[in-house]
């Protein structure tokens, strides 16, 4: 019944925004930070995903990121990713806003998106601000190449990277010569201004706003669903667990995102 009511609302909508978090990629086998079995339980990201940590021990930080990058390289977009990619074709105005850094939305075919927290396969120099695309970083630092990481066995990865990587192999900025770090937003860093502005505008103007697989805890991104609600949008949450925004939502689905989004997409296509 809830899906039927939502489909009626979506049929009347021309402007839709979808906001995704780690729960979407968890269905592809990528550990979350804040879930019950997430990386928060194994590591303290505040000791790794910071500029201070990178300055203190760049080798340790890069080994951790390469470990994460290999997990992502081995993963595939799931039906939730693919459903979102198809949904962008059904509405005149659409924006996918993701907190995920894994690039699986792009691999699934999404084109109308902003990656608020950056992309793990890209690079950034924290000294001069120079950014490196995935292709540029791979050419400077072949160990970060997605295809290379995908080919490595567990034992090969441990031998070459976890045990064999040396600091003199880490990528250096072509502009200033300092070390390049992963192209993600670290704790204490601001979100990219252009991406955040685009996300705010989409949240303020949409008819329906989906919050999918996100804990709704990390600011300022966590404010987007409530901005949409205050601006008059219907608020839809898809998350197996309750979150701080659940009580504000018009529709709540306590099920995996791949299951709910696939059904929504199917019903929308049937009505066209």
């Amino acid at each position: 019944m809830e899906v039927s009511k939502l489909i009626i609302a979506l049929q009347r909508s021309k402007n839709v925004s979808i906001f995704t978090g780690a729960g979407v990629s968890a269905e592809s086998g990528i550990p979350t930070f804040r879930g019950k079995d997430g990386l928060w339980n194994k590591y303290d990201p505040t000791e790794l995903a910071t500029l201070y940590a990178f300055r203190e021990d760049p080798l340790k930080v890069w080994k951790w990121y390469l470990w994460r990058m290999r997990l992502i390289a081995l993963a595939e977009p799931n039906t939730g990713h693919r459903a979102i990619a198809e949904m962008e074709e059904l509405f005149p105005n659409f924006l996918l806003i993701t907190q995920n850094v894994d690039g699986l939305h792009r691999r699934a075919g999404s084109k109308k998106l902003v990656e608020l927290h950056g992309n793990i396969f890209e690079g950034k120099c924290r000294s001069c601000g120079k950014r490196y695309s995935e292709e540029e970083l791979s050419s400077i630092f072949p160990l970060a190449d997605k295809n290379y990481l995908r080919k490595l066995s567990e034992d090969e990865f441990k031998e070459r990277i976890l045990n064999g990587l040396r600091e003199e192999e880490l990528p250096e900025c072509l502009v200033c010569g300092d070390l390049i770090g992963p192209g993600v937003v670290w704790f204490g860093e601001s979100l990219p201004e252009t991406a955040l502005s685009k996300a705010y505008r989409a949240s303020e103007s949409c008819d329906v706003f989906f919050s999918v697989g996100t804990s709704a805890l990390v600011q300022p991104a966590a404010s987007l669903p409530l901005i949409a609600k205050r601006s008059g949008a219907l608020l839809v949450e898809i998350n197996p667990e309750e979150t701080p925004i659940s009580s504000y939502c018009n529709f709540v689905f306590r099920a995996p995102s791949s299951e709910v989004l696939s059904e929504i997409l199917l019903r929308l296509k049937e009505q066209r």
Side-chain angles (χ1 to χ4, degrees):
M1 182 62 72
E2 283 289 289
V3 172
S4 297
K5 292 180 180 178
L6 176 57
I7 295 301
I8 293 173
L10 286 170
Q11 287 178 306
R12 300 169 179 164
S13 302
K14 295 184 177 180
N15 196 325
V16 171
S17 295
I18 298 183
F19 176 50
T20 66
V24 176
S25 292
E27 295 183 52
S28 290
I30 297 174
T32 67
F33 271 131
R34 296 182 181 272
K36 294 177 182 177
D37 298 314
L39 289 176
W40 279 109
N41 299 331
K42 301 175 185 177
Y43 302 94
D44 182 356
T46 61
E47 295 179 0
L48 293 167
T50 67
L51 179 58
Y52 175 79
F54 189 67
R55 296 294 188 217
E56 286 291 302
D57 195 343
L59 184 61
K60 179 182 178 181
V61 170
W62 259 118
K63 285 181 178 181
W64 184 61
Y65 273 98
L66 287 167
W67 172 74
R68 292 180 61 196
M69 291 161 75
R70 181 172 176 271
L71 286 179
I72 293 167
L74 291 171
E76 294 294 335
N78 60 58
T79 53
H81 292 111
R82 290 191 285 271
I84 292 172
E86 287 194 56
M87 285 176 68
E88 78 174 36
E89 302 297 330
L90 302 180
F91 302 97
N93 296 297
F94 179 96
L95 186 67
L96 166 61
I97 307 159
T98 186
Q99 294 173 293
N100 298 340
V101 299
D102 51 49
L104 288 180
H105 281 299
R106 289 187 184 275
R107 286 172 58 190
S110 287
K111 297 180 178 63
K112 302 174 183 177
L113 82 164
V114 292
E115 295 171 312
L116 285 180
H117 293 167
N119 190 302
I120 199 169
F121 291 100
E122 297 177 356
K124 179 182 176 182
C125 176
R126 265 68 183 186
S127 292
C128 70
K130 167 69 176 173
R131 294 182 178 274
Y132 294 85
S133 68
E134 183 176 335
E135 294 75 18
E136 290 170 333
L137 181 62
S138 295
S139 67
I140 299 169
F141 191 37
L143 295 183
D145 182 80
K146 193 182 298 169
N147 293 322
Y148 172 78
L149 291 169
R150 195 178 288 132
K151 292 175 183 176
L152 290 179
S153 68
E154 188 71 25
D155 288 342
E156 289 170 334
F157 180 79
K158 288 179 180 177
E159 180 179 352
R160 178 63 185 93
I161 294 177
L162 295 186
N163 299 326
L165 184 61
R166 299 290 177 260
E167 188 165 334
E168 55 267 25
E169 296 180 83
L170 298 181
E172 295 182 349
C173 180
L174 300 178
V175 176
C176 71
D178 203 354
L179 289 179
I180 300 170
V184 299
V185 177
W186 280 336
F187 292 97
E189 293 183 329
S190 300
L191 297 186
E193 187 175 335
T194 300
L196 189 58
S197 296
K198 194 171 182 180
Y200 279 140
R201 290 195 299 272
S203 302
E204 291 168 347
S205 62
C206 65
D207 304 311
V208 179
F209 187 101
F210 287 83
S211 179
V212 186
T214 174
S215 62
L217 291 171
V218 180
Q219 294 291 354
S223 66
L224 296 174
L226 298 183
I227 289 173
K229 178 75 172 181
R230 286 198 299 268
S231 300
L234 286 177
L235 188 55
V236 183
E237 180 174 67
I238 304 173
N239 199 316
E241 300 175 7
E242 187 173 355
T243 75
I245 69 164
S246 297
S247 62
Y248 299 95
C249 294
N250 302 94
F251 298 91
V252 175
F253 298 95
R254 291 281 173 255
S257 57
S258 58
E259 176 184 315
V260 179
L261 290 168
S262 295
E263 182 178 356
I264 290 171
L265 176 64
L266 179 63
R267 298 278 291 273
L268 282 172
K269 291 167 77 173
E270 286 177 345
Q271 299 298 319
R272 289 184 173 255

